[in-house]
Amino acid sequence: MGAARNSEALVAAVERLRQEVGDARLPLDVPGRDDAETARRQLIAQLDDYVLPRLRSIDAPLLAVVGGSTGAGKSTLVNSVVGAAVSRPGVLRPTTTSPVLVHHPDDLRWFEGDRILPGLARVTGRDTGEEQPGTVRLAVSTALPAGLALLDAPDIDSVVSANRELAGQLLSAADLWLFVTTAARYADAVPWDLLRTAAERGTAVAIVLDRVPREAVDEIRPHLASMLREQGLPTAPIFTVPEIDLDDGRLPEWTIARLRSWLEALAGDARARDIVVSQTLRGAVGSLSERTARLATASRAQRDAEEALTAAATECFEVAERRVADGMTDGTLLRGEVLARWQEFVGTGEFFRQMESTIARWRDRITAAIKGTPAPQDSLGEALQTGVAALVLANLEAATSETVRSWRRHSGGAAVLGSEPGLGTVPEESTTAVERLVRAWQGEVFDLVRTEGQGRRTNARIAAYGVNAIGLFLMLVAFAQTGGLVGAEVGIAGGTAVLAQRVLEAIFGDQAVRDMAAKARARLLEMVDELYGQERGRFVRALAAQAAPVDQADRLEDAVSRISAVPR
């Protein structure tokens, strides 16, 4: 009962790992992503095609997958073992494009459903020679003993990539890898790559050395055995098939008698079959930890790339916000159009010089200017609004373009940009949002003036100029203050804000003016920060749509650790 509970716990743990691996996403194009994605697909395939089916049905027939290089004679060997043309050999390569699974009639129930290889549809009947990709053909043979099935796989070095991938998938679904190679090609690199993988995963392997010249057997067989020992497969049996003419397309019985006897012994001896199955299953389950760890590492690389892209976007928009702050206090906004409109508002330069005597005379002349010529005041307000909007929008556009350039330099960024072509430009609605922001800020500045002017004397003074005019003065002062210095003290645009500063001080007092200007600047920066945050959000959302789940690596590691924790 304890063993049964452990078996059920192991199945449940592997099923959870299968779910996590299946849900895993590696969307960002970072170094190593393609290899990791290939490894993920291979892991899914082995879990679906072998590990879970074998754990759920430990008594199912032993499946020996016959694999090898192009022209090694795999199909001929299978046909010879079963004594019938169940798999189509030929001179054209590749020949086996759809795998053929040969089984005893009593074992049909194990293979007709999707217990193993669920991604391949089953077909039956005679092989007509037509290509049937995505299928496995079932062939019944009484020549094979019950408890053993042979699966003829496509070439592992096929010129067709789909055939190579399918061959690798089928070999991962095997209890036993029956590798067929030739005396001329047994040292080729491709077969040994797969054999090394088999050794690493503990898979049971047997070698069929085909087309061996009689005079070369004593030389080639020991060399092949030595290579198997070096690659961690010292116990893999070697069956040699001499170079000989075929008999009606099949090998003479005596050339495969030893191989046939060995296969029949596996099928007939439950203990021997269990040893092979247990070796391969134990190796496959044991390999899950390292293979999942590589996938978890790839997941963390995805997360690192996402964080780097997020940080790059954040930095670009923070730099833009700092530039807005600098532009608000370095006098930039008080030059050009604003300066011209200000001079229109207060009068000519001669008048400006005549108003240096007393604050009362400034107030009188400014009041007259406001009451008599309202247009200059409107022009000044419009110029300030346009200047602030231009500053905010220009830096927004700069932040957007800098983020795009930065993302193109970072791993994964170019693909995200490609998925969202509009990211590289500031949308029209954002331009409108900038204009709304500036108007809203101006309204808040006017509200600030009203709030600060609640006293009767102060309110009267404000009324003499008008809330809007005082608000414009406050904006000028806000844009002329740097580190406590104001107006002429920092030489901004020839003293543009000196008059506004002194008028405000006469109304509110020196400290109050400084506090109000600081509040106005801070509020504008808050609004800019909010707007820039929304614009940065376009990049963040596009990235999130392409990014792997945050806890993906942790979930993978937790799932595989549960497998290791099951007693076996």
Side-chain angles (χ1 to χ4, degrees):
M1 290 180 62
R5 284 196 298 270
N6 291 342
S7 178
E8 292 174 358
L10 183 58
V11 170
V14 175
E15 287 175 340
R16 179 181 173 187
L17 177 63
R18 168 60 180 85
Q19 181 67 43
E20 295 295 348
V21 175
D23 290 344
R25 299 173 58 236
L26 304 172
L28 295 179
D29 187 14
V30 302
R33 191 274 301 266
D34 291 343
D35 290 342
E37 181 59 39
T38 298
R40 188 186 77 89
R41 291 196 302 269
Q42 291 173 347
L43 181 54
I44 289 174
Q46 189 170 40
L47 290 170
D48 287 347
D49 297 340
Y50 181 69
V51 177
L52 283 170
R54 180 51 77 186
L55 285 173
R56 291 165 179 159
S57 51
I58 199 70
D59 296 328
L62 185 147
L63 179 62
V65 174
V66 182
S69 302
T70 302
K74 301 182 298 298
S75 298
T76 298
L77 180 69
V78 171
N79 291 339
S80 300
V81 169
V82 302
V86 293
S87 188
R88 177 166 46 95
V91 294
L92 296 178
R93 300 291 182 245
T95 51
T96 303
T97 55
S98 296
V100 179
L101 196 157
V102 190
H103 61 86
H104 189 275
D106 293 345
D107 291 336
L108 176 61
R109 65 188 179 92
W110 294 108
F111 303 110
E112 62 182 349
D114 60 356
R115 182 186 68 87
I116 63 169
L117 304 172
L120 298 177
R122 270 51 173 176
V123 296
T124 57
R126 186 174 62 86
D127 184 2
T128 62
E130 297 179 2
E131 301 297 335
Q132 294 180 297
T135 66
V136 56
R137 189 166 64 85
L138 303 182
V140 177
S141 174
T142 56
L144 279 183
L148 171 70
L150 295 179
L151 180 58
D152 187 12
D155 302 329
I156 60 175
D157 57 354
S158 172
V159 295
V160 180
S161 61
N163 286 350
R164 294 196 304 272
E165 293 176 3
L166 180 57
Q169 177 184 351
L170 297 180
L171 289 170
S172 294
D175 293 304
L176 169 67
W177 290 10
L178 194 59
F179 262 92
V180 183
T181 187
T182 65
R185 301 191 60 186
Y186 72 92
D188 286 359
V190 173
W192 284 100
D193 286 341
L194 289 173
L195 287 170
R196 276 190 290 272
T197 301
E200 292 169 357
R201 298 179 186 174
T203 305
V205 176
I207 307 295
V208 177
L209 185 59
D210 196 9
R211 299 174 191 161
V212 184
R214 293 177 186 272
E215 67 276 9
V217 172
D218 293 339
E219 177 183 354
I220 294 176
R221 183 187 173 93
H223 184 227
L224 175 58
S226 174
M227 294 179 69
L228 288 168
R229 285 193 299 273
E230 291 174 359
Q231 299 302 324
L233 295 168
T235 61
I238 301 174
F239 302 93
T240 57
V241 177
E243 188 173 31
I244 194 169
D245 292 336
L246 300 180
D247 182 6
D248 193 22
R250 299 173 206 160
L251 293 165
E253 175 62 26
W254 65 270
T255 64
I256 59 169
R258 181 168 167 263
L259 173 61
R260 184 197 298 278
S261 297
W262 184 73
L263 292 173
E264 289 176 348
L266 278 179
D269 186 340
R271 184 173 181 277
R273 187 171 64 248
D274 288 345
I275 290 173
V276 171
V277 170
S278 296
Q279 175 187 337
T280 300
L281 181 58
R282 187 168 55 251
V285 172
S287 73
L288 297 178
S289 179
E290 182 180 353
R291 297 166 74 183
T292 304
R294 290 198 292 268
L295 184 56
T297 298
S299 296
R300 289 198 169 90
Q302 292 276 315
R303 184 62 181 161
D304 291 344
E306 181 187 359
E307 290 177 351
L309 291 170
T310 300
T314 299
E315 174 63 19
C316 290
F317 278 89
E318 286 179 349
V319 168
E321 189 173 342
R322 289 196 295 270
R323 288 172 179 165
V324 171
D326 292 341
M328 288 167 51
T329 55
D330 64 4
T332 299
L333 289 173
L334 303 185
R335 297 184 175 92
E337 186 70 13
V338 172
L339 178 59
R341 300 290 78 79
W342 169 251
Q343 289 173 341
E344 288 180 4
F345 182 59
V346 299
T348 64
E350 178 65 23
F351 167 73
F352 188 80
R353 287 190 295 272
Q354 291 174 353
M355 293 176 63
E356 292 289 332
S357 57
T358 65
I359 195 64
R361 293 177 60 193
W362 284 334
R363 183 172 63 246
D364 292 343
R365 294 299 300 268
I366 293 171
T367 302
I370 295 172
K371 292 180 177 179
T373 56
Q377 174 182 320
D378 294 341
S379 298
L380 176 60
E382 183 178 343
L384 276 169
Q385 179 178 320
T386 301
V388 175
L391 177 67
V392 175
L393 183 58
N395 282 286
L396 175 58
E397 292 172 341
T400 300
S401 60
E402 285 294 335
T403 301
V404 169
R405 281 194 291 270
S406 179
W407 277 25
R408 293 194 186 282
R409 294 192 298 267
H410 281 77
S411 295
V416 178
L417 293 171
S419 69
E420 296 283 347
L423 279 178
T425 57
V426 176
E428 183 63 31
E429 55 266 27
S430 296
T431 301
T432 304
V434 170
E435 296 171 353
R436 288 198 304 269
L437 178 152
V438 177
R439 287 195 298 270
W441 177 70
Q442 285 186 328
E444 292 192 17
V445 171
F446 296 154
D447 289 341
L448 178 61
V449 170
R450 294 188 186 95
T451 301
E452 293 293 331
Q454 293 300 313
R456 188 161 49 185
R457 289 186 59 195
T458 305
N459 193 44
R461 291 174 181 176
I462 292 175
Y465 299 103
V467 171
N468 286 6
I470 297 301
L472 294 178
F473 288 178
L474 182 57
M475 292 177 204
L476 288 168
V477 171
F479 296 146
Q481 289 187 318
T482 304
L485 301 179
V486 299
E489 293 176 297
V490 289
I492 296 176
T496 303
V498 174
L499 176 58
Q501 171 76 20
R502 294 182 181 177
V503 170
L504 291 178
E505 289 177 353
I507 297 174
F508 300 102
D510 177 71
Q511 188 57 47
V513 172
R514 293 177 183 272
D515 292 343
M516 292 168 65
K519 288 180 182 178
R521 284 196 305 273
R523 181 55 186 149
L524 179 56
L525 285 177
E526 287 177 3
M527 298 172 76
V528 170
D529 178 67
E530 182 179 353
L531 175 65
Y532 283 11
Q534 294 171 357
E535 290 302 305
R536 184 176 62 86
R538 296 195 301 126
F539 289 89
V540 173
R541 287 190 296 274
L543 179 57
Q546 299 287 319
V550 174
D551 61 343
Q552 179 170 286
D554 293 338
R555 294 207 313 265
L556 287 166
E557 291 172 340
D558 179 68
V560 81
S561 70
R562 292 173 182 266
I563 295 174
S564 302
V566 177
R568 292 193 289 277

